[in-house]
Amino acid sequence: MAMALDALPTLTMHDRRAKPEAFAKAMGESYAEYGFAVVRDHGLDPALIDRALAATKAFFALPEDVKRRYHVQGGGGQRGYVPFGVEAAKGADKVDLKEFWHVGRELPAGHRYRAEMPENLWPAEIENFERDVYALYTALDRLGLELLGSIATFLKLPENFFEAPVKDGNSILRLLHYPPTPPNPEGIRAEAHEDINVITLLLGAEEAGLQLLTREGQWLDVAPPEGALVVNIGDMLQRLTNHVLPSTSHRVRNPSADRAHLPRYSIPFFLHFAPDYLIETLPSCITPDNPNRYPTPITAQGFLMERLREIRLA
């Protein structure tokens, strides 16, 4: 049985602007303890979120053969559609009970990251899909950079420390659909895992299910207030900070029997470093009590490809 996560504070972006040091301290402490924070008053346009969610639902309602036209074989799931039952958590023996669509950064022709960041696909069947979904991508990208400024402040780095590392970063917006769950399903909606990226900004889902694993080994429900964001640390930032900011295991459990007939939709934004950014342990995060766990640096693209192979997408 899981408990409600009452201990996870809800932060407000009003404080980020009015009391930046206090906000950074509260956010950093939440991350240091849980790897997660809840943020409200984030300024994202509710109408834009609604339009992007409507586009998401419309796409996943399309016939299976139509959806599969947008599945890129050998593409590592980086753009377009990934069918139900493909992705699995690292080390899991069962696939997750979900399907999803990936949108990445739009880059001009000839950009130096074009080889690592392919062009987006856009479903012709859904009117305004590209407009509404990419507008949300842009808004979350902007908000993520602002939150990284607070993380830098907490780490006693210059507030703009992350601006260059994430400029033209390989960030991904994922449109997620968990279909209704049959009786006695094989697996769960999303098995326990950690995110690959720097930070994840997650828009709240209509249906419950998100849980995080505490240091004590207890699963806790994450139920943010309506309209709030859940923002968690990914493995790239955990590695950069030598686990000062931990990437916490989390999952999406299956619904109770009386909710099993309902689908679940969510929209996480996975904020990434630029492909050629070298993830090298911050010297300030190395101490006698916390020696360097990662003496060999790795590029963000090299790290990403390692992890994509582990979750069966590459």
Side-chain angles (χ1 to χ4, degrees):
M1 295 292 291
M3 295 176 58
L5 188 51
D6 297 326
L8 191 61
T10 299
L11 310 174
T12 170
M13 289 296 283
H14 294 324
D15 286 346
R16 161 80 173 94
R17 286 135 195 170
K19 298 180 286 186
E21 293 282 347
F23 178 90
K25 182 175 184 293
M27 172 173 266
E29 288 173 350
S30 185
Y31 284 143
E33 178 64 25
Y34 296 107
F36 276 69
V38 173
V39 179
R40 60 182 176 85
D41 306 315
H42 44 66
L44 295 171
D45 181 1
L48 172 58
I49 296 171
D50 289 345
R51 290 195 300 271
L53 182 58
T56 299
K57 292 180 177 180
F59 174 78
F60 289 117
L62 293 172
E64 185 70 16
D65 64 320
V66 175
K67 291 187 291 186
R68 284 184 177 269
R69 293 174 196 164
Y70 298 99
H71 177 49
V72 181
Q73 294 288 347
Q78 293 303 284
R79 300 292 186 272
Y81 177 61
V82 175
F84 182 86
V86 170
E87 187 178 69
K90 178 182 176 181
D93 58 355
K94 294 183 175 65
V95 295
D96 290 345
L97 306 181
K98 66 189 182 191
E99 57 182 342
F100 53 91
W101 180 280
H102 273 172
V103 174
R105 189 177 304 280
E106 294 280 315
L107 295 174
H111 194 283
R112 63 195 181 107
Y113 295 147
R114 174 57 69 199
E116 294 87 4
M117 297 163 61
E119 293 186 17
N120 282 311
L121 300 177
W122 302 110
E125 295 80 6
I126 311 299
E127 186 178 6
N128 296 326
F129 185 100
E130 177 180 357
R131 181 198 70 186
D132 294 334
V133 171
Y134 199 73
L136 182 59
Y137 180 107
T138 301
L140 287 166
D141 194 39
R142 188 183 310 117
L143 178 60
L145 182 59
E146 189 173 359
L147 293 171
L148 284 173
S150 293
I151 290 173
T153 298
F154 175 75
L155 294 170
K156 297 183 171 25
L157 300 168
E159 185 180 2
N160 66 352
F161 175 85
F162 289 103
E163 287 183 11
V166 303
K167 180 176 171 53
D168 294 333
N170 195 8
S171 301
I172 295 287
L173 184 68
R174 174 178 284 191
L175 311 178
L176 261 169
H177 174 224
Y178 304 92
T181 305
N184 304 313
E186 286 286 324
I188 67 172
R189 283 180 159 172
E191 188 54 85
H193 65 284
E194 299 82 45
D195 291 347
I196 300 171
N197 45 291
V198 183
I199 58 172
T200 301
L201 288 71
L202 175 66
L203 292 167
E206 295 169 338
E207 290 296 308
L210 178 62
Q211 298 179 318
L212 68 81
L213 188 64
T214 68
R215 293 176 177 177
E216 295 73 34
Q218 183 180 28
W219 287 106
L220 296 179
D221 294 320
V222 181
E226 185 175 355
L229 279 173
V230 175
V231 188
N232 63 279
I233 302 297
D235 287 351
M236 290 183 181
L237 190 54
Q238 172 178 261
R239 181 175 179 130
L240 184 73
T241 64
N242 203 30
H243 293 230
V244 169
L245 299 178
S247 177
T248 299
S249 292
H250 52 285
R251 68 184 183 185
V252 178
R253 60 170 173 76
N254 287 338
S256 57
D258 62 320
R259 309 291 294 181
H261 65 290
L262 297 171
R264 184 181 192 269
Y265 300 89
S266 68
I267 304 179
F269 179 75
F270 302 116
L271 193 152
H272 278 256
F273 291 129
D276 57 1
Y277 178 70
L278 191 65
I279 306 173
E280 187 169 14
T281 310
L282 293 169
S284 59
C285 293
I286 302 171
T287 67
D289 294 332
N290 188 30
N292 190 1
R293 304 165 194 246
Y294 304 104
T296 304
I298 188 171
T299 65
Q301 181 67 13
F303 187 83
L304 173 63
M305 294 310 298
E306 280 186 6
R307 292 295 305 276
L308 290 180
R309 287 188 287 270
E310 290 170 347
I311 63 175
R312 309 184 196 181
L313 287 183

